[in-house]
Amino acid sequence: MKILVPIKRVVDYNVRIRVKSDGSGVDLNGVKMSVNPFDEIAMEEALRLREAGVASEVVPLTIGTAKAEDQLRTCLAMGGDRALHVVTDAEIQPLQAARILAELAKREEAGLVLMGKQAIDDDNGQTPQMLAALLGWPQATFASEVKIADGKARVHREVDSGIESLEISLPAVISADLRLNEPRFIKLPDIMKAKRKPLDKLELSEFDIAVPTVEIVKTSPPPTRAAGRMVKEVSELVAVLKDKGLI
Amino acid sequence: MTDEREVMEFDVVIVGAGPAGLACAIRLKQLNDELNVCVLEKGAIVGAHSLAGAVIEPQALDQLLPNWRDNPPEMCVPVTRDEVHMMSATGSFKFPITPPQMNNHGNFIVSLGALTAKMAEAAEELGVEVYPGFPAREALFNDAGAVIGVRTGDMGVDRDGKPKDSYTQGMDLHAKLTVFSEGCRGSCTKQLIKKFELDKDADPQTYGIGIKELWQVPEGRSEAGLVMHTMGWPLDSSTYGGSFVYHMDENRIAVGFVIGLDYSDPDLEPFEKFQDFKNHPKIKALLEGGEIISYGARAISDGGWQSLPKTEMPGALLIGDTAGLLNLPKIKGVHQALKSGMLAAEHIHETACSSAGYDAKLRESAVGKELKKVRNFRPAFHWGLWLGVLISALETVTLGLLPWTLKNHADHAQLKKRDPAKPRPTKAERSLAPRDRLAAVYFAATEHDEDQPVHLQVADTDICVSQCAEEYGNPCTRFCPAGVYEIVEEEAGKRLQINAANCVHCKTCDIKDPYQIINWVTPEGGSGPNYQLM
Amino acid sequence: MSKVLIVAEAAGGKLNLTTAKAVTCAQAIGGEIDLAVFTAEANGIADEAAAISGVTRVLRVVHPENAAVRAATLAPQIVALAGNGYTHVLAAGSTTGKDVMPRVAALLGVPQISDIMAVQGPHEFDRPIYAGNTITHVKTDGSHIVVGTVRSASFATASSGDGSAPIEDAAIAVELPTHTKLLDVTTDTGDRPDLQTASRVVSGGRGVGSEENFKIVYDFADKIGAAVGASRAAVDSGYCPNDMQVGQTGKIIAPELYIAFGISGAIQHLAGIKDAGCIVAINSDENAPIFEVADLGLVGDLFKVIPELEAALG
């Protein structure tokens, strides 16, 4: 079975985000870019499935600028077999990404698409579900455990009420949550090896992404909290909390 | 844990992707494309740990990368004007002329982080293996005692030193020659200076701490290319130091403060002095209403010629500020770092990876001569600001040809015992961010996995709560610009709390701790500050 | 005029509170608001939905497959309903809503607006990106249906009990896929709510003083049914385990009520609670930065304040 792992190049989670003063976006000058952490977890899970003999090939892929090759190489250094890169400077929205991924999943005859539950830049959390819908495949989002046997996947999902256990037939889309695994550290020799692994570049024009999109009007920093009121006595505190229906 | 460590072989391994290390790597590949060159860097990306003013002299860079001006680093502004001010608590006096060593005509204001990022790209294009996120934990030696490479740090070790599920053993990188370019007070360099007694014919190295912030200021405040330096307030005349205010493009201003770590008052807090300075009416007028983008701190070597250790040993070289090549009167080290890196590369190329003879070449080179010329500048200030200014002026007009050489003294030994009767210093009134060191660290975007061994090794914490508390009043809680050290009072008594996750890798604690019981070692790879345009 | 369809969510035979928050969001959009209740059999959920004020009508979709809520089977039913002239389809930003709505959007061939935090117009919304560190104002093309999830922390709960919307049974003729089977759901059995999702959180800082002293924080939390968090200083001092840490390098939470005992309120801690509904700070240091952001502040010794609080709350 072949596993596709779509990944996204995003601002590293340690970077302090600063909105540009003209509201045109986030200041990305000189900031560290990384593989989206949830995608890295998906990549790790795919590799573990290959190491367990469940999968035969793990193919990381991305849609993004030429620089996103760095993140694909990171995935190859983790252990990916080969990579696909749809090169574009355009801002690709989730439904468009899902269209491209659906096409690639068909072309590659993927048995499973494993990806992060959301990218930590736009926080949309849509692409895996959209991809499953477009392919008519089952989906298991927010996975905290994945077991595969007999053409089926048993997935533990982290839901608000606890852990849900889902059985889905393959092919399918699974999206990784934080507790699925802890990704491995990359070793130096593997970084060198990754430089020589195959990486196919594809043109965006190969794909039909003519769908309605969302217009981003402006970005702004979140409102800052102001100091509230100081109370003198516990009784006063309790009265206010009760009044607000908080206790 | 097995003993079967993975080993990689290189011709040259360079420790630290700063200006010196990258210049060395680039020059090596320019001279011999066949060489197998690897650069290790502890920061998560190249530039993440680079911090400098920085005004740079471009000649060395022109030589190394002749086309660098066609594709300059982000935020690179030619200097248009110099100003030097003497500050008092409420006012300032502008010197009518700028001392010659502080004339920056033809120089550029840059972000060192952006410059090193560009240099790393150039190095990779030439085929250098650049590995950010991989610190050199320790130097390795052969049976004859020569350096044969370095060992990278283990990853995935928990707070108690036990391997986690993600444990990945560090590996050994062997090289025909290893070049250390760790920046000021490098942790491997410290190990090597001790082992090879590289400093036995030199005065003790002396240091300063530099603290810097990058601000986005309201329209009209910044005059791109203006370089301003100050002396005086808020330091007393017995403490060496001063500020820099560099005006950049796009309404950005870099403001920083450098204080000699030979200060004697254990109550002195470099961070607070810097914040006092920022709130001086003259500086506040520039920053007020703006927004802090980045904060950081780094120790610099300022011992110069007298303190220069031997820069070669069997199998290894020291270059850049880990050797202590900064030119203090100019307050510049980047050109010295670049030149020493290039010189090292040429030496390695000529000698087919031998270290012998490099030290003599360095001392005779422009790098060495520049240091020798200004050798009496810094120690003169040991006698205070006014005598310091006088002697250094004399040294300047005589081009350093006077026959004497003043001595340097170890910074940690300069601290005077605290007078318990003396009240703690007060802070000037302030309104600018950050409100305290913890808030400042937030703008350094520093990050360490909290479940890893503390990388600030304190040999005996009992001293902290007994002897040090009594003698010096725990100066670590004051000299650290990142709030790493705290004395916590609990029911069970006082104890030292080390907030290692705050550390910005400035090395001040390793230098200034009066008992010399703090040892700074590299944390897990990729940890530390994530400086943006510093 | 807008016509909004809200996908109601239920758990344990009860309507989920987050549905009433989605109604508030829909009211900001304006127009008719229909609530769709998907069940396996007729039950009281539709009645509960009908009682929420502002609801125009309740559509009850009864199908045996709805006994187990799954995105794969729910999405085609929502899509079928949406075709009846709706301008908007909304669901709460719960894990259920987040799971199903993008599937709905893709089947409808339209983009989705995730985590709507403010309505700027029928087709213009604010939503958080970069973990809430940035707000983006987005706009969809008015020519197509809007699909969105509603960020619960941003909207008040629409009042319940005074509404009396009619309940209609909606028959849906779509074939549902059989590739997805719900095996079971294990609910958290811990005595204390989960820190990440709890509506009330009580946190302790360095001021608590020791691991033993933290018991007073746990006891108080249990008394008001709150989860327990801690500042990094408390974690670093060994008072409590790492997974309790709230803040930049710990958990980022948005409870309705956050009570901080002995927490100074470093910027790193505040980064983890900036979306909390009401922040209450109790600290003996009146200059503690937490008072600069707290909605309610009390200067005092937490060891005196907590027993008084417990007494006052009975």
Side-chain angles (χ1 to χ4, degrees), chain B residues 406-475:
Chain B
L406 302 175
K407 287 204 72 75
N408 284 334
H409 310 274
D411 291 333
H412 66 87
Q414 303 306 309
L415 217 48
K416 292 198 179 112
K417 300 227 163 91
R418 189 172 186 276
D419 173 5
K422 201 181 127 205
R424 295 268 186 212
T426 52
K427 297 167 192 170
E429 197 178 296
R430 295 176 194 171
S431 59
L432 298 171
R435 65 173 289 147
D436 54 22
R437 279 180 281 189
L438 203 49
V441 166
Y442 182 70
F443 296 100
T446 192
E447 203 276 333
H448 296 78
D449 185 335
E450 282 152 27
D451 192 17
Q452 67 170 302
V454 171
H455 71 279
L456 301 135
Q457 301 172 337
V458 180
D460 180 358
T461 53
D462 288 342
I463 291 184
C464 307
V465 290
S466 54
Q467 197 182 351
C468 185
E470 199 168 297
E471 292 183 339
Y472 298 103
N474 298 113

Coordinates of all heavy atoms in Angstrom, one line a residue, chain B residues 406-475:
Chain B
L406 N 48.8 47.8 28.5 CA 48.1 47.7 29.8 C 47.5 46.3 29.9 O 47.2 45.6 29.0 CB 46.9 48.8 29.8 CG 47.4 50.2 29.6 CD1 46.2 51.1 29.6 CD2 48.3 50.6 30.8
K407 N 47.3 45.9 31.2 CA 46.9 44.5 31.5 C 45.4 44.4 31.6 O 44.7 45.3 31.9 CB 47.5 44.0 32.8 CG 49.0 43.7 32.6 CD 49.5 42.7 33.7 CE 49.1 41.3 33.5 NZ 49.8 40.6 32.4
N408 N 44.9 43.2 31.3 CA 43.5 42.9 31.5 C 43.4 42.0 32.7 O 44.3 41.2 33.0 CB 43.0 42.1 30.3 CG 42.7 43.0 29.1 OD1 42.5 44.2 29.3 ND2 42.8 42.5 27.9
H409 N 42.2 42.1 33.4 CA 41.9 41.3 34.5 C 40.6 40.5 34.4 O 39.7 41.0 33.7 CB 41.8 42.2 35.8 CG 43.0 43.1 35.9 ND1 44.1 42.8 36.5 CD2 43.1 44.4 35.4 CE1 45.0 43.8 36.4 NE2 44.4 44.8 35.8
A410 N 40.6 39.3 35.0 CA 39.4 38.5 34.8 C 38.1 39.2 35.3 O 38.1 39.7 36.4 CB 39.6 37.2 35.5
D411 N 37.1 39.2 34.5 CA 35.9 39.9 34.9 C 35.2 39.4 36.2 O 34.7 40.2 37.0 CB 34.8 39.8 33.8 CG 35.3 40.6 32.5 OD1 36.0 41.6 32.7 OD2 34.8 40.2 31.4
H412 N 35.2 38.1 36.4 CA 34.5 37.5 37.5 C 35.1 37.9 38.8 O 34.5 38.0 39.9 CB 34.4 36.0 37.4 CG 35.7 35.3 37.5 ND1 36.2 35.0 38.7 CD2 36.6 34.9 36.5 CE1 37.4 34.3 38.5 NE2 37.6 34.3 37.2
A413 N 36.4 38.3 38.7 CA 37.2 38.6 40.0 C 37.0 40.1 40.3 O 37.5 40.6 41.3 CB 38.6 38.3 39.8
Q414 N 36.3 40.9 39.4 CA 36.2 42.3 39.7 C 35.0 42.7 40.6 O 35.0 43.8 41.1 CB 36.0 43.0 38.3 CG 37.1 42.8 37.3 CD 38.5 43.1 37.9 OE1 38.7 44.2 38.4 NE2 39.4 42.1 37.8
L415 N 34.1 41.7 40.8 CA 32.9 42.0 41.6 C 33.3 42.3 43.0 O 34.1 41.5 43.6 CB 32.0 40.8 41.5 CG 30.5 41.0 41.4 CD1 30.1 42.1 40.4 CD2 29.8 39.7 41.1
K416 N 32.8 43.4 43.6 CA 33.1 43.6 45.0 C 32.0 43.0 45.8 O 30.9 42.9 45.4 CB 33.1 45.2 45.2 CG 34.3 45.8 44.6 CD 34.5 47.2 45.2 CE 35.7 47.9 44.5 NZ 35.4 49.0 43.7
K417 N 32.3 42.7 47.1 CA 31.3 42.1 48.0 C 30.2 43.2 48.2 O 30.5 44.4 48.3 CB 31.9 41.7 49.3 CG 33.0 40.6 49.0 CD 32.9 39.4 49.9 CE 33.6 38.2 49.3 NZ 35.0 38.1 49.8
R418 N 29.1 42.7 48.4 CA 27.9 43.7 48.6 C 27.9 44.2 50.0 O 28.1 43.5 51.0 CB 26.6 42.9 48.3 CG 25.5 43.8 48.2 CD 24.2 43.2 47.8 NE 23.3 44.3 47.6 CZ 22.6 44.8 48.7 NH1 22.7 44.2 49.9 NH2 21.8 45.8 48.5
D419 N 27.7 45.5 50.1 CA 27.6 46.2 51.4 C 26.1 46.1 51.8 O 25.2 46.7 51.1 CB 28.0 47.6 51.2 CG 27.7 48.4 52.5 OD1 27.3 47.8 53.5 OD2 27.9 49.7 52.5
P420 N 25.8 45.3 52.8 CA 24.4 45.0 53.1 C 23.6 46.3 53.5 O 22.4 46.4 53.4 CB 24.4 44.0 54.3 CG 25.9 43.7 54.5 CD 26.7 44.6 53.7
A421 N 24.4 47.3 53.9 CA 23.7 48.5 54.4 C 23.3 49.4 53.2 O 22.5 50.3 53.3 CB 24.7 49.3 55.2
K422 N 23.9 49.1 52.0 CA 23.6 49.9 50.8 C 22.3 49.6 50.2 O 21.9 48.4 50.0 CB 24.7 49.6 49.8 CG 24.9 50.7 48.7 CD 26.0 50.4 47.8 CE 25.4 50.5 46.4 NZ 26.0 49.7 45.4
P423 N 21.5 50.6 50.0 CA 20.1 50.2 49.4 C 20.3 49.8 47.9 O 21.3 50.1 47.3 CB 19.4 51.6 49.5 CG 20.5 52.6 49.5 CD 21.7 52.0 50.2
R424 N 19.3 49.0 47.5 CA 19.3 48.5 46.1 C 19.1 49.7 45.2 O 18.4 50.7 45.5 CB 18.2 47.5 45.9 CG 18.3 46.3 46.7 CD 19.1 45.2 45.9 NE 19.1 44.0 46.6 CZ 20.0 43.1 46.6 NH1 21.1 43.3 45.8 NH2 20.0 42.0 47.2
P425 N 19.7 49.7 44.0 CA 19.6 50.8 43.1 C 18.1 51.0 42.7 O 17.4 50.0 42.6 CB 20.4 50.4 41.9 CG 20.7 49.0 42.0 CD 20.5 48.6 43.4
T426 N 17.8 52.2 42.4 CA 16.4 52.4 41.9 C 16.4 52.5 40.4 O 17.4 52.7 39.8 CB 15.9 53.8 42.5 OG1 16.8 54.8 42.1 CG2 15.7 53.7 44.0
K427 N 15.2 52.3 39.9 CA 15.1 52.3 38.4 C 14.5 53.6 38.0 O 13.7 54.2 38.7 CB 14.1 51.2 37.9 CG 14.7 49.8 38.2 CD 13.6 48.7 38.1 CE 14.1 47.4 38.7 NZ 13.0 46.4 38.7
A428 N 14.9 54.1 36.8 CA 14.2 55.3 36.3 C 12.8 55.0 36.0 O 12.4 53.9 35.8 CB 15.0 55.7 35.0
E429 N 12.0 56.1 35.9 CA 10.6 55.9 35.5 C 10.5 55.5 34.1 O 11.2 56.0 33.2 CB 9.9 57.2 35.7 CG 8.4 57.0 35.8 CD 7.7 58.4 36.1 OE1 7.9 58.9 37.1 OE2 6.9 58.8 35.2
R430 N 9.6 54.5 33.9 CA 9.5 53.9 32.5 C 8.1 53.8 32.0 O 7.2 53.6 32.8 CB 10.1 52.5 32.6 CG 11.5 52.4 32.9 CD 11.9 51.0 33.1 NE 13.1 50.9 33.7 CZ 13.7 49.8 34.1 NH1 13.0 48.6 34.0 NH2 14.8 49.7 34.7
S431 N 8.0 53.8 30.7 CA 6.7 53.5 30.1 C 6.8 52.6 28.9 O 5.9 52.1 28.4 CB 6.1 54.8 29.7 OG 6.9 55.5 28.7
L432 N 8.1 52.3 28.5 CA 8.2 51.5 27.3 C 8.3 50.0 27.6 O 8.8 49.6 28.6 CB 9.5 51.9 26.6 CG 9.7 53.3 26.0 CD1 11.1 53.6 25.6 CD2 8.7 53.5 24.9
A433 N 7.8 49.2 26.7 CA 7.9 47.7 26.8 C 9.4 47.3 26.6 O 10.1 48.1 26.0 CB 7.0 47.1 25.7
P434 N 9.8 46.2 27.1 CA 9.1 45.2 27.9 C 9.1 45.6 29.4 O 10.0 46.3 29.8 CB 9.8 43.9 27.6 CG 11.2 44.4 27.3 CD 11.1 45.7 26.7
R435 N 8.1 45.2 30.1 CA 8.0 45.6 31.5 C 9.1 44.9 32.4 O 9.5 45.4 33.4 CB 6.6 45.3 32.1 CG 6.2 43.9 32.2 CD 4.9 43.7 32.9 NE 5.1 43.9 34.3 CZ 4.1 44.4 35.1 NH1 3.0 44.8 34.6 NH2 4.3 44.6 36.4
D436 N 9.5 43.7 32.0 CA 10.5 43.0 32.8 C 11.3 42.0 31.9 O 11.0 41.9 30.7 CB 9.9 42.4 34.0 CG 8.8 41.4 33.7 OD1 8.7 41.0 32.5 OD2 8.0 41.1 34.6
R437 N 12.2 41.3 32.5 CA 13.0 40.4 31.7 C 12.2 39.2 31.1 O 12.5 38.8 30.0 CB 14.2 39.9 32.6 CG 15.3 40.8 32.6 CD 16.4 40.3 33.5 NE 16.1 40.5 34.9 CZ 17.0 40.3 35.8 NH1 18.2 39.9 35.5 NH2 16.7 40.5 37.1
L438 N 11.2 38.8 31.9 CA 10.4 37.7 31.4 C 9.6 38.1 30.2 O 9.5 37.4 29.2 CB 9.5 37.2 32.5 CG 9.0 35.8 32.4 CD1 10.1 34.8 32.1 CD2 8.2 35.4 33.7
A439 N 9.1 39.3 30.2 CA 8.4 39.9 29.1 C 9.4 40.1 27.9 O 9.1 39.8 26.7 CB 7.8 41.2 29.4
A440 N 10.6 40.5 28.2 CA 11.6 40.7 27.2 C 12.0 39.4 26.5 O 12.0 39.3 25.2 CB 12.9 41.3 27.8
V441 N 12.1 38.3 27.2 CA 12.4 37.0 26.7 C 11.4 36.5 25.7 O 11.7 35.9 24.7 CB 12.6 36.0 27.8 CG1 12.6 34.6 27.3 CG2 13.9 36.3 28.6
Y442 N 10.2 37.0 25.9 CA 9.1 36.6 25.0 C 9.4 37.1 23.6 O 9.1 36.5 22.6 CB 7.8 37.3 25.5 CG 6.5 37.0 24.7 CD1 6.0 35.7 24.7 CD2 5.9 38.0 24.0 CE1 4.8 35.5 24.0 CE2 4.8 37.8 23.3 CZ 4.2 36.5 23.3 OH 3.0 36.3 22.6
F443 N 10.1 38.3 23.5 CA 10.4 38.9 22.2 C 11.7 38.3 21.7 O 12.1 38.7 20.6 CB 10.5 40.4 22.4 CG 9.2 41.0 22.7 CD1 8.9 41.4 24.0 CD2 8.2 41.1 21.7 CE1 7.6 41.9 24.3 CE2 6.9 41.7 22.0 CZ 6.7 42.0 23.3
A444 N 12.4 37.4 22.4 CA 13.5 36.7 21.9 C 13.0 35.4 21.3 O 13.8 34.7 20.7 CB 14.5 36.4 23.0
A445 N 11.7 35.1 21.5 CA 11.1 33.9 21.0 C 12.0 32.7 21.4 O 12.2 31.8 20.6 CB 10.9 33.9 19.5
T446 N 12.5 32.7 22.6 CA 13.4 31.6 23.0 C 12.6 30.4 23.4 O 11.5 30.5 23.9 CB 14.4 32.0 24.1 OG1 15.4 31.1 24.3 CG2 13.7 32.3 25.4
E447 N 13.1 29.2 23.0 CA 12.4 28.0 23.2 C 13.4 26.8 23.6 O 14.4 26.6 22.9 CB 11.6 27.7 21.9 CG 10.4 26.7 22.1 CD 10.8 25.3 22.1 OE1 11.8 24.9 21.5 OE2 10.0 24.5 22.8
H448 N 13.1 26.2 24.7 CA 13.8 24.9 25.0 C 12.7 23.9 25.5 O 11.9 24.3 26.3 CB 14.8 25.1 26.2 CG 15.9 26.1 25.9 ND1 15.7 27.5 25.9 CD2 17.2 25.9 25.6 CE1 16.9 28.0 25.6 NE2 17.8 27.1 25.4
D449 N 12.8 22.7 24.9 CA 11.9 21.7 25.5 C 12.2 21.6 27.0 O 13.3 21.5 27.4 CB 12.3 20.3 24.8 CG 11.3 19.2 25.2 OD1 10.7 19.4 26.3 OD2 11.2 18.3 24.5
E450 N 11.1 21.8 27.8 CA 11.4 21.9 29.2 C 11.8 20.5 29.8 O 12.3 20.4 30.9 CB 10.2 22.5 29.9 CG 10.2 24.0 29.7 CD 8.8 24.7 29.7 OE1 7.9 24.1 30.3 OE2 8.7 25.7 29.0
D451 N 11.5 19.4 29.1 CA 11.8 18.1 29.6 C 13.2 17.7 29.0 O 13.3 16.8 28.2 CB 10.8 17.1 29.2 CG 11.0 15.8 29.9 OD1 11.7 15.7 30.9 OD2 10.4 14.8 29.5
Q452 N 14.2 18.4 29.4 CA 15.6 18.1 29.0 C 16.5 18.5 30.1 O 16.1 19.3 30.9 CB 16.0 18.8 27.7 CG 16.1 20.3 27.8 CD 16.8 20.9 26.5 OE1 17.9 20.6 26.1 NE2 16.0 21.8 25.9
P453 N 17.7 17.9 30.2 CA 18.6 18.3 31.3 C 18.9 19.8 31.3 O 19.0 20.4 30.2 CB 19.9 17.5 31.0 CG 19.5 16.4 30.1 CD 18.3 16.9 29.3
V454 N 19.0 20.4 32.5 CA 19.3 21.8 32.6 C 20.7 22.1 32.0 O 21.6 21.4 32.3 CB 19.2 22.3 34.0 CG1 19.8 23.7 34.2 CG2 17.8 22.2 34.6
H455 N 20.7 23.0 31.0 CA 22.0 23.2 30.3 C 22.9 24.2 30.9 O 23.9 24.6 30.4 CB 21.8 23.5 28.8 CG 21.2 24.9 28.5 ND1 19.9 25.2 28.7 CD2 21.8 26.0 28.2 CE1 19.7 26.4 28.4 NE2 20.9 27.0 28.1
L456 N 22.4 24.7 32.1 CA 23.3 25.7 32.9 C 23.6 24.9 34.1 O 22.9 24.8 35.0 CB 22.5 26.9 33.2 CG 22.0 27.6 31.9 CD1 20.6 28.0 32.0 CD2 22.9 28.7 31.5
Q457 N 24.8 24.3 34.0 CA 25.3 23.4 35.1 C 25.9 24.2 36.2 O 26.9 24.8 36.0 CB 26.2 22.4 34.5 CG 25.6 21.6 33.4 CD 26.7 20.7 32.7 OE1 27.9 21.0 32.7 NE2 26.2 19.6 32.0
V458 N 25.2 24.1 37.4 CA 25.8 24.8 38.5 C 26.4 23.8 39.5 O 25.7 22.9 39.9 CB 24.7 25.6 39.3 CG1 25.3 26.4 40.5 CG2 24.1 26.7 38.3
A459 N 27.7 23.9 39.6 CA 28.4 22.8 40.3 C 28.0 22.6 41.8 O 27.9 21.5 42.3 CB 29.9 23.1 40.3
D460 N 27.6 23.7 42.4 CA 27.3 23.6 43.9 C 26.2 24.7 44.2 O 26.6 25.8 44.4 CB 28.6 23.8 44.7 CG 28.3 23.7 46.2 OD1 27.1 23.5 46.6 OD2 29.2 23.8 47.0
T461 N 25.0 24.2 44.3 CA 23.9 25.2 44.5 C 23.8 25.6 46.0 O 23.1 26.6 46.3 CB 22.6 24.7 44.0 OG1 22.3 23.4 44.6 CG2 22.5 24.6 42.5
D462 N 24.5 24.9 46.8 CA 24.6 25.3 48.2 C 25.2 26.7 48.4 O 24.8 27.5 49.2 CB 25.3 24.3 49.1 CG 24.5 23.0 49.2 OD1 23.2 23.1 49.0 OD2 25.0 22.0 49.6
I463 N 26.3 26.9 47.6 CA 27.0 28.2 47.6 C 26.0 29.3 47.4 O 26.1 30.4 48.0 CB 28.1 28.2 46.6 CG1 29.2 27.2 47.0 CG2 28.7 29.6 46.4 CD1 30.5 27.2 46.1
C464 N 25.1 29.1 46.5 CA 24.2 30.1 46.1 C 23.4 30.7 47.2 O 23.2 31.9 47.4 CB 23.2 29.6 45.0 SG 24.0 28.8 43.6
V465 N 22.8 29.8 48.0 CA 21.9 30.2 49.1 C 22.7 30.6 50.4 O 22.1 31.2 51.3 CB 20.8 29.2 49.4 CG1 19.8 29.1 48.2 CG2 21.4 27.8 49.7
S466 N 23.9 30.2 50.5 CA 24.7 30.5 51.7 C 25.7 31.6 51.4 O 25.4 32.8 51.5 CB 25.3 29.3 52.3 OG 26.1 28.7 51.3
Q467 N 26.8 31.2 50.9 CA 28.0 32.1 50.7 C 27.7 33.3 49.7 O 27.9 34.4 50.0 CB 29.2 31.3 50.2 CG 30.5 32.0 50.3 CD 31.6 31.2 49.8 OE1 31.5 30.1 49.4 NE2 32.8 31.8 49.7
C468 N 27.1 32.9 48.6 CA 26.9 33.9 47.6 C 25.8 34.9 48.0 O 26.0 36.1 47.8 CB 26.5 33.4 46.2 SG 26.4 34.6 44.9
A469 N 24.8 34.4 48.6 CA 23.7 35.3 49.1 C 24.3 36.3 50.0 O 23.9 37.5 50.0 CB 22.6 34.5 49.8
E470 N 25.2 35.9 50.9 CA 25.8 36.8 51.9 C 26.8 37.7 51.3 O 26.8 38.9 51.5 CB 26.5 35.9 52.9 CG 26.7 36.6 54.2 CD 27.1 35.6 55.3 OE1 26.2 34.7 55.6 OE2 28.2 35.7 55.8
E471 N 27.7 37.2 50.4 CA 28.8 38.0 49.9 C 28.4 38.9 48.8 O 28.8 40.1 48.8 CB 29.9 37.1 49.4 CG 30.6 36.3 50.6 CD 31.8 35.5 50.1 OE1 31.9 35.1 48.9 OE2 32.6 35.2 51.0
Y472 N 27.6 38.4 47.9 CA 27.3 39.2 46.7 C 25.8 39.4 46.4 O 25.4 40.1 45.5 CB 27.9 38.5 45.4 CG 29.4 38.4 45.4 CD1 30.0 37.2 45.7 CD2 30.2 39.5 45.2 CE1 31.4 37.0 45.8 CE2 31.6 39.4 45.2 CZ 32.2 38.1 45.5 OH 33.5 38.0 45.5
G473 N 25.0 38.8 47.3 CA 23.5 39.0 47.1 C 23.0 38.4 45.8 O 22.2 38.9 45.1
N474 N 23.6 37.2 45.4 CA 23.2 36.5 44.2 C 23.1 37.4 42.9 O 22.1 37.6 42.3 CB 21.8 35.8 44.4 CG 21.9 34.8 45.5 OD1 21.3 35.0 46.6 ND2 22.6 33.7 45.3
P475 N 24.3 37.8 42.5 CA 24.3 38.6 41.3 C 23.8 37.9 40.0 O 23.4 38.6 39.0 CB 25.8 39.0 41.1 CG 26.5 38.0 41.9 CD 25.7 37.6 43.0

